[in-house]
Structure formats: structure tokens, C-alpha cells
Amino acid sequence: MADRKRTHESDKRKRKYRSDGTPIWAKRYIDGPGIWVSCTLTWHPSGSISSEHPHSGVKGKERQAVAECYDIFDSVASELWPITESPVGNADSDSDHDEDQDLSIEAQIANEVNAMKKSKQEPRFVNCQTNTTCVVFISCKPPVDPVQLVVKLVQDVRETGTVRSRCIHRLVPVTASCGANVPEIQGLCRKVLDAFFASNPGRKFTYKIELRMRNHSVITRPELIQHIAQCVPDGHTVELTNPEAFILVEVFKSVCGMSVVQGYYDLQKFNMSEIANVKNGGEIATERQVFGAKET
């Protein structure tokens, strides 16, 4: 009986997938705001490197990419939005301690356990399951701004020429998301576009809609672009060659995400490998190479 119980507990620890087939290390649904992450593609014996061919990417690297995202995103977020302890809690610690002296041992232990639970910070980043090779979505919690985080990260790569990842290829920030249908997308446009243009009062932008659609066939590409363009406030004009603002739209299955960025082409469409390649004159440096570790 004891052996059977130990075997059951061991199986639970080793289990990597839920009963519905989704990995235990991911949420079952895509929840924005967040960041789309493309894993690095390499040659595969069965085909050329292309995201359009199911056998062409690096399989099994999504989990490593997620781990790298957690590490890198947390590092950048700590610079932009440092976590500070509440001064109120520190001031009240002495009075709380005095009150605990009057309680029973069991009550004191219960208070300590509750304090430990409260002190645990909710994770800023959560992986969302995509069930797609080389595609990862990391959900962001407030106060993290996906656009600000991605721009900071790629600017660091441009300055140093060092890519802090071996699997992350390209990043696409998502300010907000909705269901991939026309009414919800129109509401999303009003929310995201109005907020961006309102933050630059009096300025008239040239803009371009950068749309990527994957595993979606309900709305056609021309139809979606037309609906988004109709939601852009008056006075801003389309410019396809060298626009000032880029409306990034990612449609994946039944979810649509959107953000507005500037300097998108200057930052190589947030492709970290390309940015490092330009900086280093053709060679891409990783942190492992910078610190003298051998690539395997």
C-alpha cells in the first residue's frame, strides 16, 4: 500500500501534461496584455527554415524560451518598475509584534503563516499555452507595460550587441487583446489607438498597420485592415514606407492583440538577432560568448 502511494506521488511529480494534453507549465488560454515571442528557427532535415512548414523549426525549445523570457523580462522589469516594500507594513511591525505576544502559540503561528502568504509577490509574467511550434505568449501583470519593456530590451541589445538569449528570436508587444471578431476588434482599436494618440496631443502621425495572422480564417486580411484603419482618429495619414507610428496587430486563432509603437523599423522589427547582427557586423554575440563560455 505504501509502495503504491509513493508510486502515485512520483507519477504526479513527473507528470508534464494535464489530462487535456496541455503542459502543466502553461495557462490554457491566451490572456493579454503580454508579449508574443518567436523562438529561433534552425535548419531541419525535413525542410527549409520557415514558420509555414510544420517540420522546419526547433521543436521542444518553447519551454527553454519561456524560462529565458521569465529571466530576461523580470530583469528588465525590475529596472523599470522596481518592487518596493510597503512602508506602512514596516511601521506597524512593532505594534503587530506586541499584539502577538498576547495571543496563544497556535494563533501566533497562524498569523505568521498568513503574513508569509501575503508577502508572496504575484508573478509578473505567466506563460500562456499556444499549442504551436516556436510560438510563445507571455502574459504581463500590472504595472508592466509590454511596449515599454520590449523597447527597453531591444535598445539594450542595440547598445551592447549582446543577445541575452539562445532561443528568443522576435518580440511583439500586446497592449491589450480581445476575441478575433469585428465588433470586439473595433472596441480594441478605440481602446488602444485612442490612448496612444491622446498621449501625443496635437501631433499628427503617419502610420502603418503591421498585421500578422496565424491559424485564423474567419476574417480576411484586407477586411481586417480596413476595419482597423477606419478606427484611426482623423488627421493621421497612412505611410507605408517610413511611418512614424506602427499599429502592430497579431491575430492568433481566436485572439487578436494590438499595440502602437514607434521606431519599429529602426529596431529591426524587434528582432533581437538582427539588431545584434547589425551591431556586431555580422556576428551575433550571446552572454555565454561574452563571458567566455563555449557554445555547445
Side-chain angles (χ1 to χ4, degrees):
M1 186 69 177
D3 292 340
R4 183 181 300 178
K5 183 177 180 181
R6 284 195 295 268
T7 302
H8 177 68
E9 292 177 351
S10 176
D11 291 341
K12 286 179 66 178
R13 287 193 297 268
K14 293 179 180 178
R15 188 172 61 195
K16 297 181 179 179
Y17 297 90
R18 301 186 182 96
S19 59
D20 62 358
T22 59
I24 61 175
W25 44 272
K27 293 174 65 175
R28 286 188 174 93
Y29 57 91
I30 297 172
D31 183 22
I35 300 171
W36 283 106
V37 182
S38 300
C39 303
T40 304
L41 299 177
T42 59
W43 289 102
H44 190 280
S46 61
S48 60
I49 50 173
S50 171
S51 59
E52 298 177 355
H53 297 85
H55 303 293
S56 63
V58 179
K59 293 189 176 181
K61 294 295 184 181
E62 293 83 8
R63 188 168 187 174
Q64 185 176 346
V66 170
E68 291 181 347
C69 286
Y70 284 159
D71 182 43
I72 298 172
F73 292 174
D74 271 325
S75 175
V76 176
S78 296
E79 296 181 35
L80 298 175
W81 305 279
I83 299 175
T84 57
E85 295 184 1
S86 174
V88 177
N90 294 335
D92 293 342
S93 60
D94 292 337
S95 60
D96 292 342
H97 178 73
D98 293 337
E99 293 177 1
D100 286 346
Q101 298 297 322
D102 300 329
L103 300 176
S104 64
I105 295 178
E106 292 79 4
Q108 292 180 35
I109 294 175
N111 286 345
E112 290 182 4
V113 171
N114 291 332
M116 291 174 63
K117 290 180 179 180
K118 291 180 180 179
S119 64
K120 287 185 178 180
Q121 294 289 339
E122 182 180 357
R124 293 180 170 185
F125 305 99
V126 179
N127 175 47
C128 300
Q129 181 62 27
T130 64
N131 292 321
T132 303
T133 303
C134 296
V135 177
V136 170
F137 185 82
I138 305 295
S139 176
C140 302
K141 304 296 182 182
V144 175
D145 180 347
V147 172
Q148 192 175 351
L149 187 146
V150 169
V151 170
K152 168 64 175 174
L153 178 56
V154 296
Q155 285 179 341
D156 288 346
V157 174
R158 184 170 65 175
E159 292 175 3
T160 63
T162 302
V163 179
R164 300 166 58 184
S165 165
R166 301 184 66 185
C167 295
I168 301 174
H169 180 62
R170 182 171 175 263
L171 306 171
V172 179
V174 173
T175 299
S177 59
C178 69
N181 57 76
V182 173
E184 290 192 47
I185 292 176
Q186 289 175 332
L188 179 67
C189 288
R190 288 189 290 270
K191 176 181 178 180
V192 176
L193 300 183
D194 290 352
F196 172 80
F197 293 117
S199 65
N200 297 273
R203 180 176 176 181
K204 301 302 181 183
F205 284 89
T206 58
Y207 71 92
K208 179 181 180 181
I209 299 173
E210 288 275 344
L211 171 63
R212 176 184 292 189
M213 304 180 72
R214 289 180 286 198
N215 301 337
H216 179 86
S217 58
V218 178
I219 309 174
T220 64
R221 183 182 181 89
E223 180 185 4
L224 183 53
I225 291 177
Q226 181 180 4
H227 283 297
I228 296 172
Q230 291 173 348
C231 294
V232 177
D234 294 336
H236 307 287
T237 57
V238 175
E239 168 59 55
L240 303 181
T241 304
N242 189 30
E244 298 169 321
F246 296 81
I247 302 174
L248 307 185
V249 183
E250 292 276 329
V251 178
F252 179 81
K253 297 182 180 180
S254 61
V255 178
C256 176
M258 183 179 298
S259 63
V260 184
V261 301
Q262 296 176 259
Y264 188 58
Y265 285 169
D266 292 337
L267 294 173
Q268 305 297 321
K269 297 184 177 181
F270 300 155
N271 186 320
M272 296 200 299
S273 299
E274 289 296 328
I275 295 172
N277 189 48
V278 172
K279 174 69 175 181
N280 299 314
E283 294 186 5
I284 300 175
T286 66
E287 280 195 340
R288 293 173 60 85
Q289 293 171 325
V290 169
F291 290 101
K294 294 181 179 180
E295 294 287 329
T296 57

